[in-house]
Amino acid sequence: MRFYLISDNIDTQMGMRLAGIEGVVVHTPEEVTAALDEAMQMEDVGVILMTDIAVKQCREKVYEYKLTVKQPLIVEIPDRHATSKISDTISRYLSEAIGIKL
């Protein structure tokens, strides 16, 4: 199993490449959705890393996959600017998924 990155900027992609993680850089919601759909079909991918800005562009699609598909696991990571708090993302996901507000 391998990791795969869907990023909104080249800097994150280059950093992940140094760690041996391949991926794509996307900018529009259509590109993000297409990249996510393609990554979900890759049999050797176990974890899909997505920058928070990429997730924001297709949040409903990401949550649909998280709730209905066992593998690969989709993990939201902060971009190089750390524009959001990951704990807020987790709390929002739990709230939407099972109706619990923390």
Side-chain angles (χ1 to χ4, degrees):
M1 293 292 171
R2 67 184 175 106
F3 285 79
Y4 189 79
L5 172 71
I6 300 174
S7 175
D8 63 294
N9 67 65
I10 192 109
D11 294 332
T12 302
Q13 183 192 34
M14 289 307 224
M16 291 296 181
R17 276 181 144 175
L18 291 172
I21 299 172
E22 294 295 321
V24 294
V25 176
V26 291
H27 299 289
T28 66
E30 295 80 18
E31 289 176 339
V32 175
T33 300
L36 180 58
D37 289 339
E38 185 178 327
M40 293 299 290
Q41 299 303 315
M42 296 178 183
E43 293 182 11
D44 61 336
V45 171
V47 178
I48 298 172
L49 302 173
M50 293 183 72
T51 57
D52 56 354
I53 293 173
V55 170
K56 286 177 186 175
Q57 293 185 13
C58 66
R59 187 170 306 284
E60 294 79 25
K61 184 81 154 180
V62 170
Y63 287 164
E64 178 184 333
Y65 276 134
K66 283 185 172 187
L67 293 172
T68 61
V69 180
K70 285 184 182 179
Q71 195 174 340
L73 176 66
I74 301 172
V75 178
E76 183 176 348
I77 61 171
D79 67 354
R80 65 188 175 103
H81 301 293
T83 55
S84 70
K85 295 180 182 176
I86 197 68
S87 62
D88 292 343
T89 301
I90 294 169
S91 296
R92 185 176 55 249
Y93 175 66
L94 283 172
S95 176
E96 291 176 6
I98 55 177
I100 295 175
K101 185 167 182 156
L102 300 175

